[in-house]
Amino acid sequence: MRDFSDWAAEQMKDPDFKREYDALEEEFALLTSLTRARTRAGLTQEELAQRMGTTQSVIARLESGRGKPSTRTLERYAKATGTKLRITLEAAE
């Protein structure tokens, strides 16, 4: 049985797959930032949800990438985790 890293390495040889994968880089970075902020704050999804006045399932959806959070939601998430939201625009490569 092949492991995931072998499969992924093989898929990355396909230019179409690589282009689509690379297009998700910013989304993956956001999801990682959300989870890290919550973890650094020492919060469970349930505890974070209580601080934000929402439910654990909403936090799970945010952290899994199912849906696009609004700036307001990201601000609430940042405040609840004791972090600062920073949005930047950078020149396209």
Side-chain angles (χ1 to χ4, degrees), residues 14-74:
D14 177 347
D16 292 332
F17 180 91
K18 183 168 179 5
R19 182 181 61 252
E20 293 298 320
Y21 181 87
D22 290 345
L24 296 172
E25 181 179 0
E26 287 82 17
E27 187 172 339
F28 290 149
L30 173 61
L31 301 176
T32 299
S33 293
L34 291 173
T35 304
R36 283 185 181 156
R38 179 176 56 78
T39 302
R40 277 194 310 266
L43 299 170
T44 65
Q45 288 182 343
E46 181 64 37
E47 292 165 335
L48 178 60
Q50 289 174 0
R51 286 188 181 190
M52 290 179 63
T54 189
T55 63
Q56 180 274 330
S57 62
V58 168
I59 302 303
R61 280 194 300 275
L62 282 172
E63 293 181 353
S64 70
R66 290 177 281 151
K68 303 265 185 196
S70 68
T71 303
R72 178 162 159 57
T73 297
L74 293 174

Side-chain angles (χ1 to χ4, degrees), residues 26 89-93:
E26 287 82 17
L89 298 175
E90 299 174 0
E93 296 177 17

